[in-house]
């Protein structure tokens, strides 16, 4: 469940990152062009994904711990996206491989 919340936080911050006017954007993936052409729907989608991830954190943890972990995760993932996206180090294969490994580790240790 934590891995799913992490993936949703990543997708939410990534969609909100593409609505920024100061960000260096690349259009390697197909949906990135749609996000740039439809900023209002993209912001609504990103904010709803953030809310969903926060609810998942509250569901898996208590109120204080879930809130703290959500904001720690949001800062960490946000920093990584801001740093690695202009360098074009974020790709579909890398994201899928990372989250599969993390999900396997989560299932193994639970």
């Amino acid at each position: 469940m934590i891995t799913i919340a992490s993936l949703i936080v990543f997708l939410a911050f990534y969609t909100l990152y593409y609505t920024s006017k100061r960000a260096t954007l690349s259009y390697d993936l197909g949906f990135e062009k749609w996000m740039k052409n439809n900023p209002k729907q993209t912001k609504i989608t990103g904010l709803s994904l953030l809310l969903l991830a926060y609810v998942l954190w509250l569901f898996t943890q208590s109120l204080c711990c879930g809130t703290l972990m959500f904001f720690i995760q949001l800062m960490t993932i946000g920093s990584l996206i801001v740093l690695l996206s202009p360098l074009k180090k974020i790709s579909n294969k890398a994201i899928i491989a990372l989250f599969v490994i993390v999900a396997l580790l989560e299932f193994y240790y639970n």
Side-chain angles (χ1 to χ4, degrees):
M1 189 68 99
I2 293 172
T3 306
I4 295 169
S6 302
L7 180 63
I8 293 172
V9 168
F10 175 80
L11 291 173
F13 197 89
Y14 198 70
T15 57
L16 292 173
Y17 176 75
Y18 263 79
T19 60
S20 174
K21 291 180 178 40
R22 291 192 282 167
T24 306
L25 304 176
S26 65
Y27 301 106
D28 298 333
L29 305 175
F31 64 92
E32 293 170 345
K33 293 177 186 175
W34 180 86
M35 289 191 301
K36 185 63 177 171
N37 293 334
N38 302 310
K40 188 172 183 176
Q41 290 91 351
T42 304
K43 285 182 184 180
I44 292 170
T45 303
L47 291 175
S48 63
L49 285 173
L50 274 179
L51 182 65
L52 177 66
Y54 182 62
V55 168
L56 283 175
W57 271 109
L58 291 180
F59 181 70
T60 58
Q61 307 289 326
S62 63
L63 177 66
C64 293
C65 183
T67 304
L68 178 67
M69 293 303 293
F70 172 75
F71 283 115
I72 289 172
Q73 186 178 50
L74 184 64
M75 287 186 292
T76 305
I77 290 176
S79 299
L80 286 172
I81 288 174
V82 169
L83 288 173
L84 297 177
S85 186
L87 298 174
K88 298 183 183 184
K89 297 291 182 185
I90 298 176
S91 67
N92 285 345
K93 293 176 185 175
I95 295 167
I96 291 171
L98 176 71
F99 281 108
V100 165
I101 291 170
V102 170
L104 289 174
L105 287 173
E106 180 182 357
F107 289 132
Y108 180 73
Y109 286 111
N110 277 337

